[in-house]
Amino acid sequence: MPLYKGLGIGLGTDAHTIVLDLGEAYSKLGFAGEDQPRMVIPTTIETIGGPVTYIFKSDHTSIIGHAVTTDLQRSIQTFFDKVFYKHLQVNPKLQRVIICESLLNPTKIREAIATVLFQHFEVPSIFFAPHHLLACFTVAVNTALVLDCSYRETLVIPVIENTPVLWGWQAAPLGAASIHNSIMDEILDKGKLQLEHNPATPVTQRLSDKVLEDIKVKACFVSEYERAKKIQSAKWSKEPIEEILQQKEMVYPLDGVTRLIIPSSIRENAAEVLFEQDNDQVSVATLVLDSLLNCPIDSRKELAKNLLITGGTSMLPGFRHRLLFELKELVQHEERYNAKLSECEFRVHNPPIHANLVGWLGASIFATLEAFQRKSITKEYFNQHNGKLPDWCATDITPPNEAILPPFKVKPRLSLPSAGPKRIKSETHHTKSES
Amino acid sequence: MASLLQVDRVQYVFDVDTQDSQSLSRLYFCIYCLGLRSSHNLLHEDDSHFCPQALDSLASAEAVSRKNKCSNSWRCPACLHTLSTRATSTISPPTTDSNKPTVKTVYYQSCTFCRWSTRSVGIDDKEVANDAWMEKENPSLPRINKLLEYYKYLEHKEKVEQARKSPIKKELMSVTMQLKQKYTSSKHSPGKKSMFGDSLSGALSSLRLKDVSSLKDVSIDASSTLALDDVEKLNTDVYKPVQFTAMTSTAQRLDQPGNQIIECSDLAPRRSQMFMKQSLRCKICDHNIIKPEYSPTSIKFKIHLIALNHIPDIRISKPSTLRAGERCQFVLSITNPTEHVIHATFLPMEETKHEINAKIELPTCDIVVGKFDDAAEFVDQLTSTNNTDDASIIAFRRGNKVGFYVHCTPDPALSPGDNVWVGMRFKHEHYGSAPLALLLKGGEVEKEPEPNWLTHSVFINLGKIQSSLE
């Protein structure tokens, strides 16, 4: 194998690595070295005459909605059939695969995916990469505080010098799912259904997720801090607040004959669930600050200056501004943060791609490198270890190409050369890990 | 699901280990290892790509370079169906040369399904039918390319450094050289290839990477960060009334991931994806089961080993009302697709994972089923040739199709609306294509080719329990 393949995207290379970002709601599929995924599809499988099921959907009774072993594998297999043969149109036997996923993904799911890919599709190698680390590739920084606000939850993990700092993780179940629930609650409260010219009737049944997502995507936004404060206090005091929206009610066409009449206040109230602090005083903004508090003191300023916001839910209009404002306000006014974080200035990055594709783009960049090929889990390795994968929580398995077991998952070890006296420090870090 | 032939009622087991079953129309049959296969346990191979609109086909390698997109077909961004190019003629104002107004044909694209057209978003009409429409490029493409280059450069640099730092024979270097190597930064002024230019290069030549090209120094700025004041505030336009039809839905946005468009007025046509023709291969004996033709206009196959062509098909011919605990009579039909007369024997079902909630009484003797005859439909069959059929078993006989009676007793514990499943095994012969192969080779054809006896487990859904009031 040539040691240096040449710069740029090789159209002449024989095997394009497949890059997958599997999320609970949507999956992004594509090839390495490209600037955008080929397709973004919902992570569902459809059966003839049956319902459309999200394969990774968790409900409150079990980690995943299926029996863990064969059913999950079968669903994953059906889903990957769709991915490889319908959307990407490749033969998976010839391509390596990189999967961008969350660091807190249950091991069972990861192993099920690996089993399906190796045994059924016979891919040559797989690499599971943490989303938060890959996001740093898209902005060319070593240290960043990555916030992933997606369907089920928001997860903050700091990345210091290309290493995800796992003990600084903060997560909360605040995401698109909770916004949908909030919209649904308000519709059940005040919304009306109207069938053609009949009088309007109140809504009694839960609307489908698709409709809720549509309403959220087309109409909702995150209000400004001052306005939000008024909304939140009005919720408790039940006093009406001044109307800022120019429309009292909106009419949403459900299908050809039914119309859904919803109050316009949904537009600004829905996303408040992300920012209002619950009983534990947790909101998306406090996650960032709590994570900072768990980090080493000398890195806090650097992390605060390099906030990276990813995830589809963060694409709501006004999200970034509100988050930065909240951070500033919280640090100023709340005692628990004022003491330790008052010197931090918060700055947010502008990645070159939309926030819901940042993880995918990072994986695409990483997959063009040779380190990816070296560190991938091959079929032989997988069989050797009886279907167990190396993981940050597994202490008995050595990742491939690693002499010593690092405390974190297999990750890229690129350290940016820094000029001058700092050079020696990064050198020692380098030699220790690459021994 | 209701379908005309109700194929999902009868399921054949194709995987003995997991007892997975499917209807026969969805299964394949490998004549070499004599087993039913489903698309799940076959090897899929990428044969060719084709576009059903423009009817052009591409081989796999070409398709990769064109990103699986057809050059001439476009897709409507609103409903994700195909766009058709329409031509109209317009009259343009008279030019200075002639006094008459000139008539030109211009082309625009419109969707026959949702009535979206390029004119409604303001894209100009083009004068050439093909090759005039452009797809929107991702605006951050240069930046992303730079990132890719940068990380490749970084990795290469790391590799070279590592090679450099690995223990070199100390005799080759004096103390000063060693110190120089240890403490000098490798990142010199841009453009200067210092790593290879200095006097150590001779010593390092044995360790130098073989095919290294000149190392362009790629530097990149980390992407800019925005403070609170720089981040754009909430646009006050959002306070205006929202028009649900003027905003794009999630599916429309995600159709072009690089440029996610929010307003419907910005939608632009996209190239449509090609479809893939696959060939399927048996994993056990490595023979091709399905091999399609390359031409996109042809729906035939070069190799077409589907189960319906080889295995007799059992269907429910005449249903009857099912009541819990009551014995009722059904007529099942068996169709023989092969060109030999076959004998079908029915056996009771063994222990299985599928839930069977009725007992079935099967005919005890074999049933002879005639062979498939192409010309049978053209020849009048005046009377059935042999009336030696037992009328209590055989309901009818038509050419290669035989109907036979079975009796079924559903479980008394079932309630109205439950599906009644029965299971059975049936055995029949299969004559391979060996005689044909011998004939082609010019050898002697045996009188009676040796048949292989195959046994299949079949599950049948006889219908739902009727409520006792009916």
Side-chain angles (χ1 to χ4, degrees):
Chain A
M1 186 174 82
L3 291 168
Y4 184 61
K5 271 211 173 105
L7 296 170
I9 313 153
L11 286 178
T13 51
D14 34 80
H16 260 130
T17 309
I18 299 176
V19 179
L20 303 173
D21 182 354
L22 303 175
E24 195 177 327
Y26 287 97
S27 292
K28 299 72 149 164
L29 332 161
F31 291 98
E34 296 193 356
D35 60 323
Q36 51 177 294
R38 293 282 177 89
M39 319 269 320
V40 178
I41 56 170
T43 318
T44 55
I45 47 174
E46 300 93 9
T47 48
I48 300 177
V52 170
T53 44
Y54 282 89
I55 53 177
F56 294 130
K57 198 163 189 132
S58 61
D59 57 14
H60 299 291
T61 52
S62 58
I63 297 176
I64 14 190
H66 323 254
V68 171
T69 45
T70 45
D71 262 2
L72 175 65
Q73 284 193 15
R74 183 148 328 149
S75 313
I76 293 179
Q77 184 182 315
T78 317
F79 178 66
F80 276 129
D81 267 341
K82 209 166 65 152
V83 164
F84 290 132
Y85 302 133
K86 181 171 169 197
H87 294 291
L88 289 178
Q89 293 174 10
V90 284
N91 190 356
K93 213 169 165 186
L94 308 168
Q95 329 276 29
R96 294 169 180 273
V97 177
I98 176 171
I99 299 183
C100 165
E101 43 126 41
S102 159
L103 266 171
L104 301 185
N105 212 8
T107 317
K108 286 196 171 94
I109 297 187
R110 212 179 272 145
E111 283 175 1
I113 294 178
T115 315
V116 165
L117 280 178
F118 277 130
Q119 286 174 358
H120 185 84
F121 292 102
E122 300 181 24
V123 292
S125 75
I126 310 182
F127 189 82
F128 285 98
H131 169 102
H132 291 80
L133 183 56
L134 291 177
C136 299
F137 272 93
T138 58
V139 287
V141 287
N142 275 353
T143 309
L145 187 54
V146 184
L147 169 96
D148 180 25
C149 193
S150 53
Y151 181 75
R152 179 66 53 186
E153 60 178 8
T154 303
L155 181 58
V156 177
I157 295 185
V159 175
I160 302 180
E161 288 294 331
N162 285 320
T163 319
V165 178
L166 206 52
W167 65 78
W169 72 277
Q170 292 288 326
L174 300 169
S178 43
I179 297 184
H180 290 175
N181 286 338
S182 149
I183 296 179
M184 194 64 231
D185 288 337
E186 231 180 296
I187 290 182
L188 282 174
D189 201 20
K190 300 184 200 142
K192 294 192 275 282
L193 275 176
Q194 190 181 33
L195 184 68
E196 284 185 358
H197 300 293
N198 301 347
T201 52
V203 179
T204 44
Q205 249 187 346
R206 192 189 163 93
L207 298 169
S208 74
D209 224 22
K210 212 161 171 263
V211 168
L212 292 173
E213 190 192 27
D214 214 23
I215 297 176
K216 175 189 76 169
V217 148
K218 291 184 179 172
C220 292
F221 56 85
V222 181
S223 10
E224 292 192 351
Y225 187 76
E226 301 301 333
R227 170 90 188 147
K229 278 273 172 273
K230 289 188 208 156
I231 295 175
Q232 283 179 14
S233 58
K235 240 193 228 182
W236 291 110
S237 60
K238 301 278 190 217
E239 278 170 16
I241 43 174
E242 32 145 348
E243 289 292 331
I244 196 172
L245 296 165
Q246 296 171 10
Q247 206 187 12
K248 196 92 203 301
E249 279 182 341
M250 314 187 279
V251 177
Y252 179 80
L254 266 183
D255 52 29
V257 288
T258 328
R259 280 177 291 174
L260 181 67
I261 304 175
I262 36 184
S264 289
S265 53
I266 282 184
R267 296 184 66 194
E268 32 177 23
N269 290 348
E272 283 309 307
V273 71
L274 296 176
F275 291 105
E276 53 187 30
Q277 298 186 14
D278 59 3
N279 281 335
D280 288 328
Q281 295 191 311
V282 167
S283 80
V284 170
T286 61
L287 289 179
V288 173
L289 296 172
D290 287 334
S291 167
L292 266 185
L293 287 178
N294 280 338
C295 287
I297 299 180
D298 51 352
S299 58
R300 282 181 197 164
K301 264 189 138 162
E302 189 70 27
L303 284 173
K305 271 207 304 210
N306 288 296
L307 259 185
L308 184 54
I309 301 181
T310 67
T313 312
S314 69
M315 287 167 72
L316 282 172
F319 184 93
R320 283 207 307 193
H321 185 262
R322 172 71 181 278
L323 181 67
L324 282 179
F325 208 103
E326 285 253 345
L327 289 172
K328 190 180 83 160
E329 290 292 310
L330 279 172
V331 167
Q332 256 182 357
H333 298 300
E334 290 215 8
E335 202 39 59
R336 49 184 172 149
Y337 301 126
N338 196 4
K340 301 189 185 167
L341 299 176
S342 49
E343 286 165 13
C344 292
E345 186 210 349
F346 290 98
R347 298 180 71 94
V348 72
H349 268 280
N350 226 357
I353 199 176
H354 298 272
N356 55 355
L357 305 175
V358 168
W360 187 92
L361 183 63
S364 166
I365 295 176
F366 180 62
T368 53
L369 303 175
E370 221 196 293
F372 154 69
Q373 291 185 9
R374 249 184 314 139
K375 296 181 193 242
S376 291
I377 303 168
T378 56
K379 219 193 303 191
E380 293 82 36
Y381 180 93
F382 188 71
N383 291 333
Q384 247 179 349
H385 292 257
N386 279 333
K388 295 243 172 277
L389 294 170
D391 201 347
W392 55 266
C393 47
T395 48
D396 53 349
I397 302 181
T398 329
N401 203 37
E402 288 289 334
I404 53 169
L405 184 69
F408 312 109
K409 261 184 70 168
V410 179
K411 61 199 182 297
R413 311 293 185 123
L414 298 172
S415 51
L416 289 174
S418 37
K422 272 204 218 163
R423 166 132 187 85
I424 299 177
K425 177 176 150 199
S426 66
E427 243 189 328
T428 51
H429 166 85
H430 192 75
T431 46
K432 188 168 75 167
S433 52
E434 288 279 86
S435 57
Chain B
M1 180 183 88
S3 64
L4 185 61
L5 296 173
Q6 300 199 325
V7 290
D8 283 327
R9 293 281 203 99
V10 179
Q11 306 254 337
Y12 283 67
V13 170
F14 58 87
D15 190 342
V16 182
D17 304 321
T18 60
Q19 294 280 309
D20 277 339
S21 60
Q22 275 241 358
S23 60
L24 196 66
S25 49
R26 299 211 174 104
L27 291 174
Y28 306 93
F29 182 67
C30 178
I31 54 176
Y32 303 98
C33 46
L34 297 175
L36 281 175
R37 304 266 175 266
S38 141
S39 115
H40 281 294
N41 43 12
L42 288 173
L43 260 179
H44 294 245
E45 281 169 10
D46 178 13
D47 209 45
S48 65
H49 294 76
F50 73 101
C51 173
Q53 279 299 112
L55 290 178
D56 53 336
S57 56
L58 291 177
S60 316
E62 240 186 287
V64 166
S65 62
R66 297 244 199 119
K67 295 197 182 182
N68 291 340
K69 292 207 192 270
C70 178
S71 48
N72 286 330
S73 308
W74 293 83
R75 197 171 62 193
C76 170
C79 64
L80 312 177
H81 279 234
T82 43
L83 279 181
S84 49
T85 311
R86 295 275 175 83
T88 71
S89 50
T90 62
I91 302 179
S92 57
T95 60
T96 49
D97 295 350
S98 64
N99 282 329
K100 281 183 293 189
T102 48
V103 177
K104 270 191 314 191
T105 40
V106 288
Y107 301 90
Y108 67 97
Q109 287 188 324
S110 90
C111 173
T112 47
F113 193 70
C114 68
R115 306 279 186 198
W116 181 89
S117 80
T118 47
R119 281 181 171 177
S120 57
V121 278
I123 300 179
D124 298 327
D125 298 341
K126 309 276 186 226
E127 307 205 355
V128 185
N130 298 326
D131 287 342
W133 307 97
M134 310 294 275
E135 237 186 353
K136 269 197 205 157
E137 247 197 28
N138 187 0
S140 7
L141 190 59
R143 167 80 183 164
I144 294 178
N145 280 341
K146 191 115 195 284
L147 281 169
L148 282 162
E149 254 184 52
Y150 173 64
Y151 278 105
K152 278 220 167 262
Y153 157 75
L154 203 60
E155 188 186 25
H156 179 71
K157 206 149 102 86
E158 219 183 56
K159 205 187 280 299
V160 168
E161 264 183 40
Q162 201 187 4
R164 204 164 68 112
K165 267 188 258 153
S166 55
I168 310 171
K169 293 182 213 165
K170 293 262 169 78
E171 302 89 83
L172 289 175
M173 287 196 293
S174 63
V175 177
T176 44
M177 288 300 195
Q178 283 180 32
L179 286 175
K180 184 181 175 191
Q181 182 201 356
K182 204 167 157 197
Y183 288 104
T184 318
S185 161
S186 59
K187 179 174 159 229
H188 286 261
S189 53
K192 189 174 169 208
K193 306 179 193 85
S194 61
M195 273 187 268
F196 309 101
D198 59 13
S199 54
L200 278 177
S201 65
L204 290 174
S205 57
S206 55
L207 293 165
R208 197 175 3 158
L209 302 171
K210 287 288 184 284
D211 51 355
V212 102
S213 44
S214 69
L215 194 67
K216 258 188 317 172
D217 202 8
V218 179
S219 63
I220 199 169
D221 310 314
S223 76
S224 54
T225 55
L226 309 166
L228 178 58
D229 312 314
D230 307 328
V231 172
E232 63 280 353
K233 279 186 140 195
L234 184 64
N235 195 352
T236 44
D237 281 348
V238 297
Y239 294 135
K240 291 200 198 123
V242 68
Q243 272 238 15
F244 280 110
T245 44
M247 313 280 279
T248 51
S249 68
T250 330
Q252 288 167 340
R253 282 182 209 196
L254 296 176
D255 186 43
Q256 190 167 22
N259 293 322
Q260 287 174 28
I261 300 161
I262 306 184
E263 310 244 337
C264 275
S265 47
D266 293 330
L267 291 172
R270 292 256 291 161
R271 288 217 154 92
S272 54
Q273 287 255 12
M274 291 200 159
F275 292 86
M276 179 163 83
K277 277 194 183 178
Q278 284 181 319
S279 55
L280 300 174
R281 190 184 281 275
C282 176
K283 279 189 186 174
I284 303 173
C285 61
D286 217 33
H287 278 101
N288 257 327
I289 305 269
I290 296 274
K291 200 167 166 71
E293 296 220 352
Y294 183 73
S295 156
T297 48
S298 152
I299 57 166
K300 293 197 196 161
F301 292 87
K302 286 183 195 155
I303 303 177
H304 194 47
L305 295 175
I306 53 169
L308 275 178
N309 283 349
H310 294 271
I311 309 283
D313 188 15
I314 295 185
R315 289 219 202 115
I316 303 174
S317 179
K318 196 166 164 194
S320 86
T321 50
L322 284 161
R323 298 227 167 82
E326 277 182 27
R327 186 173 183 266
C328 47
Q329 191 187 70
F330 276 83
V331 179
L332 295 177
S333 74
I334 178 167
T335 315
N336 173 18
T338 62
E339 297 193 341
H340 304 270
V341 174
I342 60 165
H343 303 81
T345 322
F346 296 95
L347 306 161
M349 175 58 87
E350 294 167 342
E351 193 49 53
T352 171
K353 285 189 208 161
H354 279 252
E355 46 157 279
I356 298 181
N357 43 17
K359 284 195 268 290
I360 189 167
E361 292 155 28
L362 300 158
T364 40
C365 56
D366 347 353
I367 299 184
V368 181
V369 190
K371 60 183 177 185
F372 172 62
D373 198 357
D374 268 332
E377 49 184 310
F378 302 113
V379 175
D380 265 341
Q381 284 176 339
L382 300 164
T383 46
S384 47
T385 41
N386 46 347
N387 278 333
T388 52
D389 295 331
D390 190 352
S392 63
I393 299 179
I394 307 280
F396 62 84
R397 184 181 283 273
R398 278 197 287 272
N400 64 336
K401 190 169 174 179
V402 171
F404 57 96
Y405 294 108
V406 294
H407 293 100
C408 154
T409 320
D411 222 351
L414 293 173
S415 44
D418 282 346
N419 279 317
V420 176
W421 284 91
V422 294
M424 61 185 188
R425 287 183 302 148
F426 88 100
K427 202 165 124 177
H428 68 99
E429 313 105 291
H430 177 259
Y431 295 92
S433 51
L436 185 62
L438 275 179
L439 196 65
L440 288 172
K441 276 194 217 157
E444 278 296 314
V445 181
E446 296 170 7
K447 264 295 175 177
E448 274 301 316
E450 269 300 311
N452 297 304
W453 286 89
L454 303 171
T455 313
H456 303 286
S457 302
V458 181
F459 295 98
I460 308 180
N461 178 1
L462 290 174
K464 296 199 180 180
I465 302 263
Q466 305 282 358
S467 59
S468 46
L469 293 172
E470 286 181 56

